[in-house]
Amino acid sequence: MTYLFHQIMQTPYGKSKTAVDYLKRKSPMEKAPNGKDSIGAYAVQCFRCFKWRLIPTKEEFEAIRERFTEDPWHCEKMPNNSCDEPADIEYDTTRIWVIDRPNIPKAPPNTERLVMMRHNLSKMDIYYVMPNGKKVRGTNDVAKFLHSHPQYKKRMSISKFCFVSPKVAEETVAQDSEWRVVLRNKKQKKENSG
C-alpha cells in the first residue's frame, strides 16, 4: 500500500533540547504566525519503489492527494527523477510525520486548508481560511459562512471541505514528548485500576 504523508519539520533534538522544550519555546501558533499551518514540508511515497519524494509546494501536494487513488504517484512524475535516484528524505524520527488520507479535495478557490499540530502532539486540527479571512472549523461553520455570504455559494460547495485530520505517526514522536508521557500515565493508571 502506498501512503501520502505530510511531515512536520521540527528541530532535530540535540542533547539539551527535548520535544517538550522545543514545543514550550515554539507552540504551533508561534510556529505558524499569520494563520500558516504546522506543516514544514510535504512528502509522497512512490508506489513503485516506495522511496520518499519531497513535493515542493502545498498546491502540488494537494493536487497529488486529491487524485491519488485514480492516479497513483510515482517518481517519474517529478521532472528529472526516477526510481533509480536516492530518496529525497528518509522516514525516521528526526521529524514528526503525519499521515494524510488520499483523495481529500483541494481547498476551494480563495480558501486555504490549514493543518495545525496541537501543543501536546496528540493530534492535528483542520481549519479553512475563507475568502474574508475568517477561519472555519467544521461543515456547520462552512454552512453558516455560505448563508452569510451567498455570493460564494456558486463557487464552493460544502462537499469540497474536508475536516478529517491527518494521523500523527506515533513512532516518529520523541520518547520524552509530553504526548508520550500522557499516554504512558494513562496506561499505568488503567493497569493499576484493573
Side-chain angles (χ1 to χ4, degrees), residues 96-98 117 121-124 166-170 173 179:
I96 299 172
W97 291 67
V98 293
M117 175 68 81
L121 307 177
S122 63
K123 70 178 276 191
M124 309 293 288
K167 183 180 179 207
V168 177
E170 292 181 29
V173 178
W179 179 51

Side-chain angles (χ1 to χ4, degrees), residues 126-146:
I126 303 298
Y127 303 91
Y128 281 85
V129 179
M130 303 307 277
N132 66 351
K134 181 180 170 103
K135 285 184 184 177
V136 295
R137 296 180 59 174
T139 53
N140 288 341
D141 289 346
V142 175
K144 288 177 192 173
F145 174 84
L146 292 175

Side-chain angles (χ1 to χ4, degrees), residues 49 81 88 90 105 117:
C49 68
N81 206 342
D88 293 343
E90 295 297 329
M117 175 68 81

Side-chain angles (χ1 to χ4, degrees), residues 132 142-156:
N132 66 351
V142 175
K144 288 177 192 173
F145 174 84
L146 292 175
H147 180 73
S148 299
H149 301 87
Q151 68 270 29
Y152 294 109
K153 284 185 180 181
K154 290 184 180 180
R155 290 189 270 170
M156 59 181 75

